[in-house]
Amino acid sequence: MSTGTDPLAPLAQLPGVPDAVAEVRKAVDRLYGHRVMRRRADEVTSESALRGARASAALAGADWPLEEVRRRTDFSADPESRTVGAALRIAAEAGQLLSIWRHSPLQVLARLHLLAVGDADPAAGRPRQAGEGVEALFPLELKPVESVEVEAGPAGPAIELPSAPGAEEVAARLDQLSRLLVARAEGQGVGTPALVVASVVHGELLALRPFGSHNGVIARAAQRVVLIAEGLDPKSICPAEVGFAELGTDAYRRALAGYLAGTPEGLAAWIGHCGRALRLGVRESTAVCEAMQRGMV
């Protein structure tokens, strides 16, 4: 990492990243300029949270149709139901934790895990300890949707991600991440684009898998919180989770492997993947706005 004011600044200059940042900014600005946003922004925010939660749950192994998620009231009957319920609870509260996030990101992560598992779980809200296991990040293979163009990567067998680091390393890296985010909230390193910061937070949480369960849902929610905090998506209407699901788990896993490798090419590919997912989230909410404008919602 750089020894300058913001250690993330060099990532913003990696090949392809400035273009990804500019494309995301343009897409988000266009969505915020939609005429529906002038009078029904709260409804768009609610719909974004619902669709993002559905997609995040799908990536975590519970791929339910949107209308089934909308219809259900009981999310305790079986593991898939509990996964969907966890994603919905996290989506409903994540945007309300912004003030805490600015001075204590780790407290927010603990709260998100508590929301996911419930307070009856003895591990709720605490990072896993030495010897404790961790759930797989990608328990279900999602194919990319037909309307989405996935960047071609190197051909080969499915990527196998390395094991999650031990509890001691997790604690140290979480502390480092928290210090970096708090420093940004205090005005240091404000020039680094929101997409870069959000991608690093997302990637680092997937790399660490700090909790025994629900790490993917929490990492994607944390990305959303960062995008709100950094001012790119202050109303939380861009469900990147939808984009990650539409791009498919193979592309997600391969991009994450690039982040874990830590090479300039791998980091740039991860940030680019997060940018594409965010633009697809913008596309999703644009479709919602269009439907509202036509009186269909």
Side-chain angles (χ1 to χ4, degrees):
M1 284 191 172
S2 167
T3 57
T5 302
D6 186 357
L8 301 185
L11 301 182
Q13 303 306 318
L14 292 174
V17 172
D19 288 342
V21 168
E23 289 167 2
V24 162
R25 177 83 264 179
K26 181 178 179 182
V28 172
D29 286 349
R30 187 183 302 119
L31 173 59
Y32 271 80
H34 198 288
R35 83 169 49 172
V36 167
M37 288 296 297
R38 300 174 194 166
R39 59 188 186 279
R40 301 182 68 179
D42 288 348
E43 294 173 68
V44 179
T45 296
S46 296
E47 189 66 17
S48 169
L50 178 69
R51 292 175 183 235
R54 189 221 72 83
S56 200
L59 289 161
D63 188 13
W64 287 14
L66 179 63
E67 292 311 313
E68 179 67 10
V69 177
R70 201 188 299 276
R71 181 187 68 82
R72 283 285 190 104
T73 56
D74 180 11
F75 296 97
S76 61
D78 54 72
E80 281 198 7
S81 299
R82 289 192 286 275
T83 296
V84 175
L88 287 169
R89 290 190 296 275
I90 285 174
E93 189 160 327
Q96 302 172 32
L97 300 172
L98 187 59
S99 61
I100 303 173
W101 178 267
R102 295 186 190 280
H103 65 81
S104 183
L106 299 188
Q107 185 178 342
V108 171
L109 295 178
R111 174 61 181 168
L112 295 179
H113 188 249
L114 175 63
L115 287 169
V117 302
D119 54 14
D121 189 321
R126 67 157 176 81
R128 54 189 170 81
Q129 299 174 351
E132 292 182 337
V134 60
E135 288 182 354
L137 284 177
F138 302 104
L140 180 67
E141 289 296 319
L142 299 180
K143 301 293 184 183
V145 301
E146 293 182 359
S147 62
V148 171
E149 182 177 344
V150 180
E151 278 205 353
I159 293 289
E160 186 171 340
L161 298 173
S163 300
E168 188 174 337
E169 181 181 345
V170 168
R173 287 172 62 177
L174 280 177
D175 182 67
Q176 184 182 31
L177 181 65
S178 177
R179 289 174 182 272
L180 184 150
L181 293 170
V182 170
R184 289 188 61 80
E186 293 173 349
Q188 301 176 37
V190 293
T192 302
L195 173 63
V196 173
V197 182
S199 299
V200 168
V201 170
H202 183 177
E204 192 68 4
L205 291 175
L206 291 182
L208 296 179
R209 283 157 272 179
F211 302 103
S213 63
H214 299 90
N215 288 299
V217 175
I218 290 170
R220 290 182 287 273
Q223 172 173 306
R224 185 178 276 236
V225 174
V226 172
L227 293 173
I228 299 170
E230 295 283 331
L232 179 62
D233 183 20
K235 295 184 182 296
S236 193
I237 59 172
C238 306
E241 303 93 334
V242 171
F244 287 113
E246 290 187 344
L247 288 164
T249 47
D250 183 64
Y252 198 174
R253 189 186 294 108
R254 289 180 183 276
L256 177 59
Y259 176 85
L260 296 176
T263 63
E265 297 80 9
L267 292 167
W270 170 249
I271 295 168
H273 187 74
C274 291
R276 285 189 292 278
L278 187 53
R279 294 201 311 274
L280 288 170
V282 168
R283 184 179 76 167
E284 183 81 359
S285 285
T286 300
V288 169
C289 287
E290 293 294 328
M292 288 181 174
Q293 187 167 288
R294 293 193 299 270
M296 297 174 64
V297 176

